[in-house]
Amino acid sequence: MSRQVVVPFGPQHPVLPEPVHLDLVLEDERVVEAIPRIGYVHRGLEKLVEKRDYKDYIFIAERICGICSFIHSVGYSQGIEALMEIEVPARAEYLRTIWSEYSRLHSHLLWLGCFADSMGFENLFMQSWRIRESVLDVLEETTGGRVIQGSCKVGGVRKDIAAPQLEQMKEGLKTLQSEVDDLVAVFSDEPTIKSRTIGVGVLSKDEAWELGAVGPMLRGSGVRKDMRMLGYGAYEHLDFKPVAHDAGDCYSRCLVRAEEMSVSIDLIRQAIDSIPEGEIEVKVKGNPDGEYFSRVEQPRGEVLHFVKGGGKKNLLRHRVRTPTMANIPALVKTLAGCQMADVPVIVLSIDPCIGCMER
Amino acid sequence: MRKEEQETIEVTLQTLASEVQKQKDLGSRLVQICCARIGDDFELHYSFEREATDSPFKFTDLKLVTDGGSPIGSVTGIFFAAFGYENEIADLYGLKIEGNLLDFKGTFITTSVPYPFGKPAVTKKEGTS
Amino acid sequence: MGVFTITKMIVKSLIKGPDTRRYPAVPAKKTPLTRGHLVIEIEKCIYCGLCSMHCPADAIVVTKAERTWHIDRFKCIVCGGCVEYCPKDCLHLVPEYLAPQEKQQGDTYTGPEPVVVQEPVPASE
């Protein structure tokens, strides 16, 4: 009869990008169950709707998270635009899509680096982040900020990209594609990475759907669902197919994210080729009234922005449900029964972004 | 811009469990549970999504309005994934939810002011800048 | 399937040199659109207070009577909202980052004295 020991994991841990706590109940080296604790970075941002009007609130919505900030602002703007029946011009939709896909690229490169670091492969971590720098340079040249872009607003976008700069971005995509291909080849073929991720943290298709998993966690278990299929933004005009793998372990989730990077590069190329001319914003008058759930695809999964307006310039409620919050039950399920040395790999494979989970 | 078709069903404290079970039988997944304080009442939204014949992303929302007096039955027996959202609502709004399978009893999100979202406006404590 | 992929990356970086910038010997990378800090042309300001009303961080304080415009640099998040709301276009974001400060000391700018036009005295009848 083995003894049960409780080992705390986090909030300070070398592999965790952001603080979360897990109480691991261990028997010898096997995890019997894991109990999560959150609340280390709760800022109560949603209460600021009472003080700021809905047009200025976009600056706060962007700063919920540092990695996925642009897509938060797109989700919020789309929610308000749906409530007030605003038609955003087509050029603004394409520009939002281009910046969202660059955001997704830099987030996946960041994750690949952290994933390699969780296995101890620091050289690969540094190489991934070196490639990520070129994506951040493009974001800074076109919007002014590396991580907080500040270019989306209710009714359109703030800045335009001129045609010669779009051509330069397209040229840069070629070098980026070849570097990403080299990097992905290491992740998919290296025997040490494979031996640490194949068969680890298995989540079956039914369990993933029932526990409410989203994003690559769901697509790594074989369910082909992606919020970009809803057709918001410019996605209804672009040729897009979601990536899914069937095994349900950490290796297939890694492959899903790696292949999504190539899909993003292809989407940016298509968007630059077919971007229409025109205005980039419309004037917004009046106040929002009613409620709407705006769903957008972040790099980590489906994010939901619930906006409820009462006819005044302050919203009644703004709620953000981030993908990490939806993946926590799936994490608790996959951790049960694994070895203690696999815990960092499994925790990283849900792509934890605790800053936006707790707002 | 494409606006999604979203269906809203009003429920009461008594019919909540049966409506949630209906959604589970249809094969939905739980998307989120949200709480809003409108005036003196609390409004809860239970959102589900399923694959239906008319659309692959059919979104249904159950809306429950309560004054916070009586406790709300937990849905973790039907959807285990609800434990996080229900703990968060109990900690931030001060509503009582009974029957939660993984109940943190008020320690999920600890704030210096208890139930900050349940009050209309939080005033600063004396002595803090 | 690639062989020696990491070795190739390492050899390339040995030949090319380090990828990181030797800051502060080499100045930081800037683009024309980089949001460094906020400057004001105080001569054009009409002290309407729109920038202060719409600041998400409450960093700007405008007093019309004394003609001062005060910004708390620690609170400013350099979002650019005030630049859009200003009716006289006197606020700009420039790419230079400010030097680190230890104590919070905002910047106050006082506008010029208003020019008083003397009414010509009507000639007495």
Side-chain angles (χ1 to χ4, degrees):
Chain A
M1 191 58 218
S2 32
R3 234 172 31 139
Q4 288 198 343
V5 176
V6 177
V7 168
F9 179 87
Q12 305 281 29
H13 196 279
V15 306
L16 285 176
E18 297 174 19
V20 69
H21 179 81
L22 288 167
D23 277 318
L24 301 171
V25 179
L26 295 176
E27 266 184 15
D28 291 338
E29 283 274 327
R30 209 175 54 89
V31 175
V32 171
E33 74 176 309
I35 304 167
R37 291 287 306 274
I38 65 171
Y40 294 95
V41 278
H42 179 74
R43 292 164 283 165
L45 288 179
E46 296 170 354
K47 198 138 169 74
L48 281 172
V49 277
E50 296 166 8
K51 285 174 74 177
R52 304 269 162 246
D53 77 20
Y54 69 97
K55 282 194 228 163
D56 295 336
Y57 190 79
I58 184 98
F59 295 117
I60 298 173
E62 273 184 324
R63 285 163 171 83
I64 294 177
C65 176
I67 314 174
C68 25
S69 83
F70 189 75
I71 304 181
H72 272 301
S73 61
V74 168
Y76 174 75
S77 308
Q78 277 189 200
I80 301 277
E81 285 153 13
L83 270 188
M84 295 172 67
E85 312 274 332
I86 300 175
E87 268 302 314
V88 179
R91 190 175 172 93
E93 302 265 27
Y94 273 78
L95 284 172
R96 279 183 186 175
T97 307
I98 292 176
W99 279 320
S100 298
E101 292 303 315
Y102 269 112
S103 222
R104 194 182 314 271
L105 262 177
H106 106 81
S107 171
H108 282 322
L109 281 165
L110 186 148
W111 178 81
L112 278 174
C114 291
F115 193 58
D117 188 37
S118 79
M119 292 187 276
F121 201 156
E122 278 203 33
N123 193 355
L124 195 56
F125 166 40
M126 295 300 171
Q127 296 290 346
S128 307
W129 282 44
R130 178 183 59 84
I131 299 173
R132 178 179 170 245
E133 283 296 310
S134 54
V135 177
L136 292 178
D137 281 344
V138 171
L139 282 172
E140 193 178 6
E141 279 164 21
T142 49
T143 65
R146 276 159 56 105
V147 283
I148 306 284
Q149 276 74 43
S151 53
C152 187
K153 68 190 245 192
V154 177
V157 293
R158 267 175 232 276
K159 295 196 163 38
D160 202 353
I161 311 183
Q165 202 169 15
L166 283 172
E167 287 305 313
Q168 237 183 354
M169 280 155 67
K170 213 163 123 180
E171 282 302 310
L173 284 178
K174 293 197 191 113
T175 352
L176 190 63
Q177 176 76 66
S178 69
E179 289 191 326
V180 161
D181 283 338
D182 277 341
L183 190 73
V184 169
V186 175
F187 273 97
S188 39
D189 301 325
E190 178 73 29
T192 46
I193 294 185
K194 275 194 197 172
S195 71
R196 284 207 65 176
T197 52
I198 292 189
V200 168
V202 178
L203 195 66
S204 74
K205 196 166 168 170
D206 294 323
E207 281 171 354
W209 181 254
E210 213 183 280
L211 289 168
V214 291
M217 196 80 176
L218 188 67
R219 294 198 284 279
S221 298
V223 181
R224 201 167 279 272
K225 286 230 176 222
D226 188 321
M227 284 299 129
R228 287 176 280 175
M229 289 153 72
L230 283 174
Y232 65 87
Y235 292 107
E236 51 186 329
H237 307 293
L238 301 175
D239 180 25
F240 164 70
K241 291 200 182 14
V243 176
H245 282 264
D246 290 320
D249 54 11
C250 290
Y251 184 63
S252 63
R253 286 173 222 143
C254 179
L255 284 183
V256 165
R257 289 186 180 104
E259 285 171 28
E260 275 187 4
M261 288 203 289
S262 305
V263 168
S264 286
I265 294 181
D266 185 45
L267 280 171
I268 298 174
R269 201 176 284 135
Q270 284 180 42
I272 293 182
D273 281 336
S274 53
I275 187 168
E277 300 292 326
E279 296 284 317
I280 54 169
E281 59 169 330
V282 290
K283 269 239 152 313
V284 173
K285 289 199 194 21
N287 291 325
D289 201 357
E291 57 188 37
Y292 185 68
F293 293 87
S294 150
R295 301 197 287 163
V296 183
E297 176 80 10
Q298 264 194 356
R300 286 157 183 81
E302 165 207 27
V303 69
L304 183 138
H305 280 255
F306 168 58
V307 284
K308 188 174 168 84
K312 300 213 177 57
K313 68 176 170 84
N314 287 21
L315 286 177
L316 283 175
R317 177 81 168 111
H318 171 236
R319 148 95 165 148
V320 183
R321 196 282 277 145
T322 48
T324 311
M325 187 79 181
N327 282 335
I328 293 276
L331 172 71
V332 168
K333 176 81 180 53
T334 49
L335 278 177
C338 75
Q339 298 287 323
M340 181 163 143
D342 292 331
V343 170
V345 175
I346 298 177
V347 170
L348 254 274
S349 78
I350 70 165
D351 210 351
C353 186
I354 312 295
C356 46
M357 175 168 101
E358 298 184 23
R359 300 136 307 166
Chain B
M1 218 226 74
R2 189 172 290 199
K3 186 166 170 178
E4 233 189 316
E5 289 297 320
Q6 295 176 343
E7 189 192 338
T8 310
I9 305 177
E10 309 256 342
V11 295
T12 63
L13 282 170
Q14 291 79 25
T15 58
L16 175 68
S18 61
E19 287 287 334
V20 172
Q21 184 65 50
K22 242 193 267 180
Q23 288 294 322
K24 171 101 188 235
D25 296 332
L26 285 169
S28 308
R29 70 174 167 106
L30 177 69
V31 173
Q32 61 112 30
I33 306 178
C34 155
C35 181
R37 189 176 191 284
I38 313 289
D40 285 327
D41 290 331
F42 295 94
E43 201 177 275
L44 280 117
H45 291 267
Y46 290 73
S47 312
F48 300 91
E49 190 213 43
R50 68 179 191 276
E51 206 167 312
T53 42
D54 53 342
S55 131
F57 295 100
K58 186 136 182 74
F59 190 86
T60 315
D61 184 47
L62 302 178
K63 187 162 148 175
L64 166 68
V65 180
T66 169
D67 61 354
S70 37
I72 307 169
S74 165
V75 299
T76 45
I78 314 171
F79 283 103
F80 182 64
F83 76 87
Y85 306 113
E86 293 189 342
N87 274 304
E88 190 190 348
I89 291 174
D91 284 350
L92 291 177
Y93 283 90
L95 291 175
K96 296 234 172 339
I97 300 191
E98 57 180 15
N100 198 339
L101 287 179
L102 190 53
D103 195 353
F104 284 83
K105 298 198 184 10
T107 59
F108 200 51
I109 298 183
T110 44
T111 48
S112 62
V113 176
Y115 316 131
F117 283 59
K119 302 187 186 14
V122 181
T123 49
K124 281 202 249 205
K125 284 209 297 252
E126 296 302 324
T128 57
S129 67
Chain C
M1 158 97 187
V3 279
F4 291 108
T5 321
I6 298 280
T7 317
K8 281 192 219 145
M9 286 185 199
I10 295 178
V11 169
K12 256 194 248 179
S13 84
L14 277 173
I15 299 175
K16 213 173 59 142
D19 270 297
T20 50
R21 289 195 147 214
R22 293 288 179 264
Y23 179 83
V26 172
K29 207 173 356 181
K30 283 197 292 265
T31 68
L33 285 177
T34 303
R35 298 196 297 268
H37 71 279
L38 187 68
V39 295
I40 182 170
E41 290 176 58
I42 196 72
E43 306 80 36
K44 293 197 208 165
C45 179
I46 57 170
Y47 312 102
C48 61
L50 274 175
C51 54
S52 171
M53 262 199 295
H54 288 279
C55 177
D58 284 335
I60 301 182
V61 178
V62 176
T63 28
K64 195 167 178 135
E66 294 150 32
R67 292 182 323 277
T68 53
W69 183 90
H70 172 86
I71 181 168
D72 184 345
R73 297 274 178 207
F74 275 26
K75 281 194 190 165
C76 173
I77 53 175
V78 202
C79 62
C82 52
V83 177
E84 285 200 5
Y85 276 107
C86 181
K88 293 289 168 188
D89 278 332
C90 53
L91 287 164
H92 308 284
L93 283 172
V94 291
E96 278 74 38
Y97 290 105
L98 293 173
Q101 287 176 343
E102 263 179 58
K103 280 219 216 350
Q104 208 186 87
Q105 53 195 37
D107 290 332
T108 312
Y109 299 90
T110 316
E113 294 276 339
V115 176
V116 177
V117 176
Q118 283 285 10
E119 287 287 330
V121 178
S124 49
E125 289 296 315

